[in-house]
Amino acid sequence: MIFTGEHWYYGILQLFLLGLDILAALGAIRHRKFGLCWLWITALFLLGYKIWEYVPAGRWPLDFSAMTYFLFSVAVLLPVRPLKAAASFSGMLAGVCFIVTLILLPEMQYDSQPNGLCLIMAILNHNLLFTGGMILAGRYPFKKTDLFWIGGWLALAIACIEVLTHCFGFTQSNAVFTDILDGTIVFQLTGNTFALPWWYYALYYPCCLALLCLLLFLFFKVNKLLRKQAPAVGAQP
């Protein structure tokens, strides 16, 4: 937990970065040109870094965060309006999940990375995703029809991961999203290793669906709040 363990200071660092993320996002929302530059620089950096990380090694993005890096970059760089809602939701979701676990469970995040440099890059990338997702939510008014694109993206991400892992045998050492899909994430966090009973899945997946609905509800609420920070101008670029 936070303030305990050998690498407790990563949790403190993330708390500080979270404050900077929010301040930077609010500033980028209020100053549109600065916000647009932030989004483009972030998208180009994430896209270039992830191509450099995956392509030479022959790897595939098998985690939700890894796939969101590419979605976010494409949504920012291409004038495809519906993708921006999915990129904003996924960016904030992936960012928040990483940020919260690093604050509360810094040892788990430290142990999930091969070395300190990889952890630093993971911190940078996830904080950029979170900030970028907030900026998108402040620049674009999302509607209930955007639920189709968010749901479609989530379904595509799940389908790709399931096909690549179960049909083609691709694996990834740090694939939290896969653990969430097969239901083992709860038992990994609690340290249990015994076989999962059928009633666990009967409770687990409805709870996951309810949590997703809650997250979508909060996402649209956050979108409305952040939109109030944006200057009153005409069409969005």
Side-chain angles (χ1 to χ4, degrees), residues 165-202:
T165 54
H166 293 97
C167 297
F168 293 94
F170 289 98
T171 59
Q172 183 167 310
S173 59
N174 182 26
V176 177
F177 195 49
T178 303
D179 299 332
I180 294 175
L181 292 178
D182 62 23
T184 60
I185 185 67
V186 175
F187 278 65
Q188 289 183 14
L189 292 176
T190 57
N192 294 315
T193 57
F194 53 84
L196 302 178
W198 66 268
W199 55 262
Y200 168 79
Y201 292 102

Side-chain angles (χ1 to χ4, degrees), residues 37-64:
C37 290
W38 183 294
L39 289 173
W40 272 74
I41 292 174
T42 298
L44 290 172
F45 169 76
L46 291 177
L47 182 62
Y49 178 77
K50 288 301 169 178
I51 289 176
W52 172 81
E53 180 182 6
Y54 283 101
V55 173
R59 296 171 53 198
W60 288 81
L62 295 179
D63 205 10
F64 184 69

Side-chain angles (χ1 to χ4, degrees), residues 46-162:
L46 291 177
L47 182 62
Y49 178 77
K50 288 301 169 178
I51 289 176
W52 172 81
E53 180 182 6
Y54 283 101
V55 173
R59 296 171 53 198
W60 288 81
L62 295 179
D63 205 10
F64 184 69
S65 294
M67 300 182 75
T68 300
Y69 292 129
F70 293 97
L71 170 68
F72 178 85
S73 299
V74 170
V76 170
L77 298 176
L78 298 182
V80 183
R81 172 66 176 78
L83 289 180
K84 300 187 187 302
S88 177
F89 175 78
S90 299
M92 285 195 285
L93 178 60
V96 164
C97 289
F98 180 90
I99 288 169
V100 170
T101 54
L102 183 59
I103 292 173
L104 298 180
L105 303 167
E107 296 301 324
M108 185 186 76
Q109 287 290 2
Y110 183 87
D111 293 339
S112 69
Q113 301 295 332
N115 53 60
L117 178 60
C118 290
L119 177 60
I120 294 298
M121 293 307 301
I123 294 173
L124 173 63
N125 293 338
H126 283 88
N127 280 269
L128 287 176
L129 266 186
F130 175 70
T131 306
M134 286 187 64
I135 296 173
L136 284 176
R139 293 178 67 87
Y140 299 93
F142 300 134
K143 303 176 182 179
K144 293 298 187 289
T145 53
D146 289 313
L147 283 170
F148 170 81
W149 296 97
I150 297 175
W153 158 249
L154 294 176
L156 177 63
I158 292 172
C160 288
I161 291 175
E162 290 295 302

Side-chain angles (χ1 to χ4, degrees), residues 5-28:
E6 181 181 358
H7 304 95
W8 58 268
Y9 47 87
Y10 282 108
I12 304 299
L13 172 63
Q14 182 56 75
L15 274 173
F16 175 73
L17 291 176
L18 177 59
L20 291 182
D21 291 342
I22 295 173
L23 291 176
L26 292 176

